[in-house]
Amino acid sequence: MHYLLPGDLAIHNTTQGLSDKRWAGMLANHGAVAAGENLEAAVCAIEDLEARPDGKL
């Protein structure tokens, strides 16, 4: 995958198919990113990601 600038619509197009499977993940050279129905849900997704030794949800 090529580099995408922050706010690039291609980020949405690239990741939209993952939302039914995962709520958080790691971006290479950036760190964790999460989504949720609200801020609390997104924070919980990040905490769950950080708690896993393999870094996968």
Side-chain angles (χ1 to χ4, degrees), residues 26-56:
M26 299 295 289
L27 295 177
N29 302 317
H30 293 283
V33 63
E37 296 199 16
N38 54 48
L39 181 58
E40 184 178 357
V43 170
C44 287
I46 287 289
E47 290 173 344
D48 290 345
L49 179 68
E50 291 175 345
R52 298 181 67 84
D54 61 0
K56 298 178 183 176

Side-chain angles (χ1 to χ4, degrees), residues 2-19:
H2 60 283
Y3 180 78
L4 301 172
L5 295 172
D8 190 327
L9 185 57
I11 295 171
H12 167 75
N13 296 338
T14 302
T15 59
Q16 70 181 2
L18 299 175
S19 63

